[in-house]
Amino acid sequence: MINKKIEAALNKQIEAEANSSNLYLAMASWAEAQGYEGVSNFFYDQSDEERQHMLKLVKYVNERGGRAHICATTEPLKIFDCLTHVFQDFLDHEVEITRLINELVHVCLEEKDYTTQNFLQWYVAEQIEEEAVARTILDKLKLIGTDKGGLYLFDRDINQITVTSAAGPMSE
Ligand code: OFO
């Protein structure tokens, strides 16, 4: 059973994951309209992943005797102009999500809710991976600069850029 404070904190994270999904959907749609097929697929996948992160939290809250709150998502207000800025926004956003997850773990420790703290370890590991992916991609984009041929190859190969998974599969 989770207490009200933990329930509220988890519900805030459900909202954050839903907003992440929406932001990456907006990035995917922008990239698709620009003709960056690889980048758009990358962000469509990211958007799906964030929705899975949200669902995992919804199910956890309900299974632990709480009530998951499904709220409205906010419209991503970012204006996208180039790939480097989009991936910088992606990294900045993931860094902020890491901060929120750490904050959540902190609340669990304060409340002595070790079950939820243990559940959140999956998210802690996932954030290490997502930040690493964003940094790796951003480093590549900085090397390419505005070179059109380089950007073409980047878009073609982006889905092969991976880092070792820290979190493991969703089902764990
Ligand atoms: Fe990329 O963040 Fe979810 O957790």
Side-chain angles (χ1 to χ4, degrees), residues 17 50 53 94 97 123 127 130:
E17 301 292 343
E50 298 302 343
H53 297 174
E94 287 301 328
I97 296 293
Y123 288 84
Q127 283 313 116
E130 294 198 331

Side-chain angles (χ1 to χ4, degrees), residues 103-133:
E103 197 51 44
L104 205 45
V105 171
H106 179 71
V107 176
C108 291
L109 291 174
E110 272 181 351
E111 294 296 307
K112 296 191 169 59
D113 183 342
Y114 302 115
T115 309
T116 305
Q117 187 251 343
N118 187 46
F119 164 78
L120 288 172
Q121 291 313 302
W122 184 88
Y123 288 84
V124 171
E126 177 72 6
Q127 283 313 116
I128 296 172
E129 182 187 338
E130 294 198 331
E131 282 193 32
V133 168

Side-chain angles (χ1 to χ4, degrees), residues 82-152:
C82 71
L83 287 181
T84 306
H85 289 157
V86 167
F87 278 97
Q88 184 64 56
D89 285 343
F90 173 50
L91 174 60
D92 292 346
H93 187 78
E94 287 301 328
V95 168
E96 173 59 12
I97 296 293
T98 301
R99 191 188 67 74
L100 294 177
I101 297 284
N102 287 340
E103 197 51 44
L104 205 45
V105 171
H106 179 71
V107 176
C108 291
L109 291 174
E110 272 181 351
E111 294 296 307
K112 296 191 169 59
D113 183 342
Y114 302 115
T115 309
T116 305
Q117 187 251 343
N118 187 46
F119 164 78
L120 288 172
Q121 291 313 302
W122 184 88
Y123 288 84
V124 171
E126 177 72 6
Q127 283 313 116
I128 296 172
E129 182 187 338
E130 294 198 331
E131 282 193 32
V133 168
R135 285 200 178 85
T136 304
I137 293 176
L138 208 48
D139 286 347
K140 289 199 192 306
L141 277 172
K142 282 180 183 158
L143 282 175
I144 295 166
T146 53
D147 177 65
K148 284 213 161 72
L151 289 173
Y152 171 82

Side-chain angles (χ1 to χ4, degrees), residues 1-170:
M1 185 87 187
I2 49 174
N3 72 27
K4 285 289 163 204
K5 194 166 173 188
I6 298 290
E7 181 186 62
L10 290 171
N11 272 321
K12 264 179 75 182
Q13 193 61 32
I14 287 172
E15 183 177 1
E17 301 292 343
N19 283 328
S20 298
S21 179
N22 232 21
L23 174 63
Y24 298 155
L25 182 59
M27 287 174 170
S29 174
W30 173 82
E32 189 163 57
Q34 300 295 311
Y36 291 123
E37 200 189 330
V39 173
S40 77
N41 286 335
F42 173 86
F43 280 115
Y44 280 127
D45 287 350
Q46 289 297 319
S47 176
D48 285 348
E49 269 191 32
E50 298 302 343
R51 182 177 152 74
Q52 292 304 320
H53 297 174
M54 179 196 68
L55 285 177
K56 198 175 161 90
L57 282 158
V58 167
K59 290 180 179 171
Y60 179 80
V61 171
N62 289 333
E63 272 163 16
R64 300 278 304 144
R67 183 68 64 88
H69 179 234
I70 309 302
C71 58
T73 48
T74 48
E75 182 182 349
L77 292 175
K78 298 261 178 216
I79 312 248
F80 308 120
D81 53 1
C82 71
L83 287 181
T84 306
H85 289 157
V86 167
F87 278 97
Q88 184 64 56
D89 285 343
F90 173 50
L91 174 60
D92 292 346
H93 187 78
E94 287 301 328
V95 168
E96 173 59 12
I97 296 293
T98 301
R99 191 188 67 74
L100 294 177
I101 297 284
N102 287 340
E103 197 51 44
L104 205 45
V105 171
H106 179 71
V107 176
C108 291
L109 291 174
E110 272 181 351
E111 294 296 307
K112 296 191 169 59
D113 183 342
Y114 302 115
T115 309
T116 305
Q117 187 251 343
N118 187 46
F119 164 78
L120 288 172
Q121 291 313 302
W122 184 88
Y123 288 84
V124 171
E126 177 72 6
Q127 283 313 116
I128 296 172
E129 182 187 338
E130 294 198 331
E131 282 193 32
V133 168
R135 285 200 178 85
T136 304
I137 293 176
L138 208 48
D139 286 347
K140 289 199 192 306
L141 277 172
K142 282 180 183 158
L143 282 175
I144 295 166
T146 53
D147 177 65
K148 284 213 161 72
L151 289 173
Y152 171 82
L153 293 176
F154 169 83
D155 183 59
R156 194 193 63 183
D157 297 338
I158 183 169
N159 282 311
Q160 280 152 37
I161 299 173
T162 50
V163 296
T164 314
S165 172
M170 271 301 294

